[in-house]
Structure formats: structure tokens, C-alpha cells
Amino acid sequence: MSGRLRSALIIGGQGIRARKLRTFLSMISLFLGVLAVVIVQAGSEIVQRASIADIELQSGKDGTHQMYVGGQDPGALTTALDTVRDRPDAVALSSGKAVIGEPNVTPINPGGSSFDNLGSRPGRVDVICDQTGCYPDPSSQGAPKPNGKAIELRLNAMTGDVRQFKPYRQESGQWLDFASAPSLAPRIVLNKKAAVGFARYQVPAQLHIDGGTSDPTPQIVGVVDDGSYQPEAYVRVDELTNWLPAGGLGSSRGSSLQVLMSPGAADLEQTLRARLVAAGMKAEQININVVQSKQRIESQLALMRWIFLGMAALVLLIGVAGILNVGLATVGERVEEFALRRAVGTPRMLLAGIVLAETLLTGLITAAAAIGASALALRAAPTLAGGRGASYFQDLTFPWQAGVAGVIAGLVAGLLGGAIPAIRAARIPIATVMRA
Amino acid sequence: MTPLIQLTGITKTLKGQSEPRTILAGVDLTVHSGESVAILGRSGSGKSTLLSLIGLFDRPDGGQYLLGDRDITKLSERRSAALRSAEFGFVFQRFFLLKHLTAAQNVAMALVNGQGWRSRRKRKALVLAALEQVGIGHLAKHKPPRLSGGEQQRVAIARALVREPRILLADEPTGALDTETGNLVVDVLRAATERGCGLILVTHDRDHADKMGRVLRLNDGLLAPAPQRVPA
Ligand SMILES: Nc1ncnc2c1ncn2[C@@H]1O[C@H](COP(=O)(O)OP(=O)(O)OP(=O)(O)O)[C@@H](O)[C@H]1O
Ligand SMILES: [Mg+2]
């Protein structure tokens, strides 16, 4: 360490020690401002994480062309599957209800509800909604079945790898292998919500699909995070069709077919449309939309963030005014000390640096306190929120961006509040000591 | 022998509220090492201004200033700070001790100034030697509010001596002290010249001035030998 730096540390330390209360007061004035910045930044990061992290998983990457095909037309479905089958730039995804476990029982989670709040909804879900509308669940009609060890989920059969459009995160095991020859026992990948059920309950390996004639034995190969709040499973459509009668797939109510296409697959879009119309679908039933969810949400969040950051900056400005006020008063009080220090040979830049360093240090310590306070608040949030809120806050970690924002706010405030006093300190004429 | 400092034709004009005023109109002054010089002059004659030029607080408008054989008339701020630290010691009418620091820490202020570095132990030894030199080694741990005026001024002198300067500049160091204490302080300053240090003492007190080797008078911006005192 150079002599200058060591001297600066000693002089600065003496200055702070001689004015502990004053340093503390200027910290208080700054604390709220830095806290506001940290909270806004943390809040918007958390909201952004929650809404953006899953948006690509749920609705697909921006730019993806998405086609929905109405559920009750096995002919249309087969046409669509056949058209898309060998295209690397598109995936057809047929989704329908399936049950894994004991046959002919009421599953543990009737209606395929999440295991997190089993029993929180009284009675059973007996209305199913899809894009054709809402109607009573056919399985809930007639005599109630006995409760049994079975898990209901939504089974998504795919012609290709959906992850090029929806980048599911692998949690454990593997994803489906689309290159190999189809296996006779369908390989299945669960989502996180479904995995919870399988970890909690022992269910026999028997897969029953609505419309299926016999039940295959599924092989669970992995778990992914797909952003869904319901139990779901993913399977290769060719491994499933072995077990279904022709046109069996998607024949039940509540099932749907979705085709995801990359922006370059315009030809496929036209072919598909033409074939579907030829197969008897009405042209207006075929809707294609381009996914833009992430962009939309991001721009909304960015606007909100700037509005809140603007307000936080105002609070911070008040803190800066406080630190500046204290800094100017301190320099005014130390005029003689600074003049004398210059007389004994201390370079003026060193003195200016010390004044600036004292406020920067104040800013940094304040930032650390504000960051610590908000991190603690976030940790205490689940207990304070209680009940449903608790689970929301449970797996929140303090976003590092908020920490960085706090440190920057503290440094900027220290710089703004310290610069003018530092310049004043450097300008004190040495001759002051002769005229005092 | 090369003089310690040599000023030739030094001028300084200060921009007052209305019109510029010439304070120094061509001052000549030579001081050898071990020599002590008193400067007399009525209030406002420019004694402090002259001292602030010698001490490199400020630059003259004209003339030449030699330190040894080095021309230091126009020095950068950085170099002046280094020279103030290495070559000069200052004592003022007021003591300028920091009241939250001990006597020893106040003396150490001249060592902790960003000009070179000495270990804590070395600093302690130097500080104690300086305090002992002015006769108050036993007060090292006292803070200024608990010291008398004479003791405080001796702490300030120790602060000026701790780097063993070649020139000691004192601007009315006895102005705030009673006669007896003032005499003591002048004796302490005078003793420093016995180690080869030059001393320039600005004072209003003719008795103190007469203890110096030479007595000069600043009048109308010019420095001249003071007229002999007529014995009463
Ligand atoms: N910064 C300044 N700007 C303008 N005029 C100044 C400035 N400093 C001092 N003066 C003027 O310069 C003149 C000389 O001042 P100086 O302090 O050198 O006198 P002095 O001989 O030390 O007086 P005293 O015995 O009262 O201390 C004074 O008339 C003073 O008003
Ligand atoms: Mg004066």
C-alpha cells in the first residue's frame, strides 16, 4: 500500500471517528433512497422472473407460429399429424386426458388438478373447458367410481421435439429421444407438477388414455419444468398410436391439437390449411397466431420498472441532498483543519479524495444496510404473508440485480453528495491559517 | 556558503475589493542555516503575506526565490506540497490543534500527510522526540482541551519540528500568549536554530525580536533592517 493511501485511510478514519453521529445521520438520510431503489429493482426482477421465465415454456418462443385445430375431428387430427410428421421445423402436439395407475377408479387428483392443493377445492371438477367451450366432464357422469391409486394428467403426444419452440428445463433424467426407433412401451417425460404426484403416491405402471383399447406400460424417463401448473406428461406420438385404434387419438372431449411452426415454415402452413379444409374443416376454424408474449410482457414490465425506479430516484435524490448538506457543513467546519493539513504538505488532491472517500464509504455502508434489510424482509416474507402467499414467496431468492442496483445507488449518491464538498475542500487557501 | 533561502525583488499585488494593492514591492531576504531573523512591521504591512510566499502557500508575482541553489519561484502545487512537507515547519498565532486527537496524534499529522510513509513505531519515536525537544514529552497522550495555551503552542511547534525542517516559519506565535509563556515559546523556537535550522519570526514584540540574530522591518512593501532601539 502506498504512503498516500495509508495516510488517506488514517486521515479519513480520524474524520469519521470524530463525527460518528453526523456520519450516522447522513446514512439515515440516504438509507430510504437506496432502500427504495433496491426494493423496486428486487420487485421487478422477481415479477419478471416469475412472468418471463415461464412465458416461453407456456406459450412458446416469440415468433413461433401457432395453429389450433379443433378437438372433435379425428380425421383432421390424423391429417395434421401426417402433414407435420417429417418436418423438422414444426411439431404437432396432441393433448388429451390420461390416467396412470389402477384402472376404473377415481384418481387421486380428479380432473388432473395439481397436487399442491389437493382437497382445497371441495367436490370434483366436473366441467372441462377447451377452445370449443365448456361442458360437463363425461367421466364424472354415471355412478361414481371408487377412489384408487391413479394419477390423472394431461398427456401431450408430439411428432417431434417441442423444445425448439418451448424450451422446457430438464429437472432430472432425460428428455425424449426422437431419433431412435419407437419403443413398444411408451417413454414418458413428466412435468414437475406430475412428478410430485408420482413421488408421493405409489401407482401401478399402467397408462389409460381416453379412447384407448388396451393400456400400455409406460416408462418414465425424465422430469422437466414446463411452466404448467397442472400435472402433464410428454410422449412420442408414434409410441402412443400403437395402443390406440385408428383415429383414437384426440377423440375424447377436452383434447386438442396444436401445431407449432417456425417462422420459416410458411409452405407447411399453407399445405396444412389446404389439407385440413379438404378433410372437411371450415377455414375459419383454423386460427394461426404468432407468439409475442415475451416481448409484450417485457415492454410492459420495463415501463413499470422505469416508473417505479423514477420514483425511487426521487427518494434517493432527497438522500443525496441530505448527504450533500452534511458534507458541506462538515467541510465548512473543517476549513482550518484542511488548510493546516495542506500547510504541512498534504496534497490538495489527497484531501479532496479523502472527503469524497468518506461520503462514498457512507454511501456503500448505507447500501449494504439497505440490501441487507430488504434481503431479510424477503426471507421473512413467507412467515408474514402466511397461507397461500407463503408458498409464493417460498422459493424466492434475493435477486443479485437488486444488490448491484443498491451498490450503484449508494456509490452514485456518495459521488453526488461528496463531489461538491470535495471540490470545496481542495479550494481552501492555505493562508487561511494566517488570517484565522 | 550557499544561503538556505534567498529572495530577490519579490513582489506581490493583491486584488482588493476596489483596486489592486501592492503589498510587497521588491523584497530582498537571505537566510543562512542556523540563522534567526525577526520581522517587525505594523498591522497590515504584509508580514503574513511575505511568510506565505516563503512557505510556498502562494506564488509571488515577480522576483526570484531560491532554496539552496534551486529556483522555486514558480512551482507546481504538487511540488510545493512536497517541499512544504520536507523543508518547512510552520507555527501560527493560533495553534490549530485537532481537539479530538491527542497531542501525539496532532504532532503525527505532519508525518501522515501522503508524503512518504513511516511505520507506526517510527512515527511514535519521532513524535516523542519532537515533544521532548519542546519539553512536553509527558503530555503526549493529552488532548488539546486539557492543555494550557503555552503547552498547546509547544505541541504546534513539535508538529513543525517533527520532520526536522530546514526552515521554521513562525507568524506571531506568541500573539495569543501572556508575556511569560511567550518568552518560553520564543526560547523553544530559538533553541531549534541551534540544530542548524533557519528561523523567521514575525512578531509585534520588540523584546522577542531582539532575541533573534537579525531584526528586520517591513515597511511600504520593502524589507529593511529595523532601526536600533533607543535604550530607555
Ligand atoms: N486574500 C486577500 N485579498 C485581498 N487583500 C488581502 C488578502 N489577504 C490580505 N490582504 C490584505 O493585504 C494586506 C497585508 O496583509 P497581511 O496579513 O500580510 O498583513 P500583516 O502584516 O500580517 O498584518 P497583521 O500584523 O495584522 O497580521 C492587508 O491590508 C490585508 O487587508
Ligand atoms: Mg499577519
Side-chain angles (χ1 to χ4, degrees):
Chain A
M1 234 184 342
S2 79
R4 277 188 161 220
L5 192 56
R6 289 177 202 238
S7 303
L9 283 178
I10 292 183
I11 298 173
Q14 285 173 349
I16 289 179
R17 242 175 292 141
R19 275 164 287 269
K20 290 193 203 80
L21 180 63
R22 187 169 279 199
T23 310
F24 179 66
L25 288 179
S26 59
M27 279 182 187
I28 287 183
S29 83
L30 197 55
F31 182 78
L32 282 181
V34 178
L35 191 66
V37 170
V38 171
I39 287 176
V40 168
Q41 191 68 21
S44 60
E45 275 313 320
I46 287 170
V47 170
Q48 175 147 359
R49 259 189 224 168
S51 48
I52 295 204
D54 291 346
I55 199 98
E56 282 198 332
L57 308 185
Q58 289 162 353
S59 25
K61 290 181 180 165
D62 279 7
T64 304
H65 290 226
Q66 199 171 33
M67 177 192 277
Y68 278 108
V69 183
Q72 279 74 56
D73 190 344
L77 227 149
T78 317
T79 307
L81 289 179
D82 287 344
T83 313
V84 174
R85 197 180 306 279
D86 293 319
R87 296 286 300 230
D89 52 356
V91 173
L93 195 87
S94 160
S95 309
K97 185 183 131 179
V99 174
I100 296 178
E102 294 175 354
N104 289 317
V105 294
T106 300
I108 297 158
N109 59 332
S113 58
S114 165
F115 294 94
D116 296 342
N117 38 17
L118 268 189
S120 69
R121 276 178 291 180
R124 291 198 312 254
V125 184
D126 37 23
V127 171
I128 287 184
C129 293
D130 59 22
Q131 57 276 8
T132 61
C134 292
Y135 42 84
D137 181 356
S139 66
S140 71
Q141 281 155 4
K145 293 169 187 167
N147 290 341
K149 287 181 176 167
I151 286 174
E152 182 175 337
L153 40 72
R154 200 169 170 78
L155 186 65
N156 305 285
M158 302 169 292
T159 60
D161 193 347
V162 72
R163 290 192 306 177
Q164 54 179 309
F165 303 109
K166 301 182 172 184
Y168 298 156
R169 290 183 286 264
Q170 195 76 37
E171 295 285 321
S172 61
Q174 305 149 326
W175 178 241
L176 298 169
D177 174 13
F178 290 89
S180 64
S183 153
L184 207 57
R187 286 168 292 184
I188 281 185
V189 170
L190 301 175
N191 74 349
K192 267 163 66 178
K193 296 290 178 184
V196 170
F198 282 90
R200 201 177 291 166
Y201 307 101
Q202 285 287 322
V203 299
Q206 184 174 344
L207 172 67
H208 178 76
I209 305 146
D210 272 12
T213 43
S214 52
D215 296 351
T217 305
Q219 257 179 282
I220 297 173
V221 296
V223 178
V224 291
D225 179 5
D226 64 352
S228 169
Y229 300 109
Q230 246 92 57
E232 307 214 17
Y234 297 86
V235 65
R236 273 171 61 168
V237 71
D238 50 1
E239 291 185 2
L240 205 60
T241 39
N242 290 331
W243 302 91
L244 290 168
L249 194 64
S251 62
S252 73
R253 311 209 70 171
S255 62
S256 68
L257 180 88
Q258 204 189 132
V259 181
L260 300 169
M261 289 164 282
S262 69
D267 63 312
L268 177 67
E269 213 174 291
Q270 281 189 341
T271 319
L272 194 53
R273 198 184 278 272
R275 288 202 192 164
L276 284 173
V277 173
M281 268 189 91
K282 295 196 193 81
E284 63 267 22
Q285 257 184 293
I286 306 167
N287 291 315
I288 295 187
N289 70 304
V290 179
V291 177
Q292 266 176 334
S293 330
K294 187 176 176 185
Q295 194 192 339
R296 204 171 49 236
I297 269 209
E298 267 176 343
S299 61
Q300 280 169 358
L301 283 180
L303 181 67
M304 292 299 283
R305 177 189 295 221
W306 285 118
I307 292 174
F308 279 108
L309 272 183
M311 295 195 283
L314 282 182
V315 182
L316 188 64
L317 207 61
I318 297 172
V320 170
I323 221 175
L324 181 60
N325 186 16
V326 169
L328 286 177
T330 305
V331 168
E333 207 172 75
R334 295 173 81 180
V335 164
E336 292 180 354
E337 179 195 333
F338 287 146
L340 180 75
R341 286 197 187 273
R342 285 193 62 199
V344 299
T346 315
R348 70 202 304 175
M349 292 321 275
L350 191 64
L351 288 178
I354 288 165
V355 170
L356 196 58
E358 280 180 18
T359 50
L360 280 180
L361 195 65
T362 311
L364 272 183
I365 293 173
T366 312
I371 292 167
S374 34
L376 277 182
L378 193 64
R379 186 171 296 177
T383 10
L384 294 178
R388 263 173 61 90
S391 70
Y392 177 73
F393 283 110
Q394 207 73 69
D395 39 275
L396 286 185
T397 49
F398 186 74
W400 61 268
Q401 291 93 336
V404 171
V407 170
I408 291 177
L411 282 179
V412 166
L415 205 62
L416 287 179
I420 298 176
I423 292 169
R424 287 246 174 123
R427 285 207 179 145
I428 295 169
I430 313 177
T432 307
V433 282
M434 295 177 147
R435 320 228 182 268
Chain B
M1 191 175 79
T2 324
L4 209 47
I5 57 167
Q6 187 169 15
L7 287 81
T8 333
I10 292 292
T11 60
K12 184 76 188 175
T13 303
L14 289 177
K15 289 164 269 306
Q17 269 87 341
S18 45
E19 76 276 24
R21 269 185 56 209
T22 298
I23 310 293
L24 303 176
V27 169
D28 298 324
L29 175 64
T30 304
V31 180
H32 290 87
S33 70
E35 196 188 5
S36 58
V37 178
I39 296 179
L40 294 167
R42 55 173 180 76
S43 182
S45 57
K47 305 182 293 297
S48 295
T49 306
L50 176 59
L51 223 49
S52 76
L53 294 180
I54 298 173
L56 299 175
F57 294 180
D58 203 355
R59 278 194 209 164
D61 295 331
Q64 191 187 43
Y65 180 8
L66 298 177
L67 176 75
D69 41 21
R70 178 172 171 201
D71 188 340
I72 58 168
T73 319
K74 288 190 166 68
L75 272 190
S76 73
E77 163 61 29
R78 206 166 53 85
R79 284 171 198 276
S80 322
L83 278 187
R84 281 198 296 275
S85 169
E87 312 284 358
F88 295 94
F90 302 94
V91 182
F92 310 102
Q93 177 169 349
R94 282 181 49 207
F95 323 125
F96 296 117
L97 302 179
L98 299 186
K99 60 179 185 300
H100 53 271
L101 300 183
T102 63
Q105 285 173 318
N106 267 290
V107 174
M109 214 171 126
L111 296 173
V112 181
N113 62 356
Q115 309 278 7
W117 181 253
R118 289 165 179 79
S119 70
R120 177 186 274 272
R121 189 191 304 166
K122 177 88 174 147
R123 290 205 303 272
K124 211 169 165 184
L126 285 171
V127 164
L128 210 62
L131 284 171
E132 237 124 53
Q133 190 182 337
V134 298
I136 49 166
H138 58 290
L139 299 176
K141 291 214 159 62
H142 289 229
K143 291 191 175 173
R146 289 178 50 200
L147 299 174
S148 75
E151 286 164 347
Q152 289 189 50
Q153 190 60 302
R154 280 188 282 168
V155 173
I157 295 171
R159 183 179 62 199
L161 291 175
V162 71
R163 271 191 184 256
E164 296 178 357
R166 284 207 273 175
I167 294 241
L168 205 49
L169 302 175
D171 192 2
E172 294 182 47
T174 60
L177 304 172
D178 61 70
T179 320
E180 200 178 326
T181 323
N183 286 333
L184 178 71
V185 162
V186 170
D187 291 341
V188 168
L189 287 171
R190 184 69 217 262
T193 63
E194 277 151 29
R195 304 180 169 208
C197 168
L199 168 67
I200 300 178
L201 173 74
V202 168
T203 181
H204 284 290
D205 190 315
R206 184 70 206 226
D207 290 334
H208 292 159
D210 285 338
K211 288 184 176 174
M212 301 297 120
R214 243 185 324 150
V215 183
L216 303 174
R217 185 173 181 86
L218 189 60
N219 199 13
D220 291 334
L222 292 171
L223 206 53
Q228 277 297 309
R229 209 151 50 141
V230 185

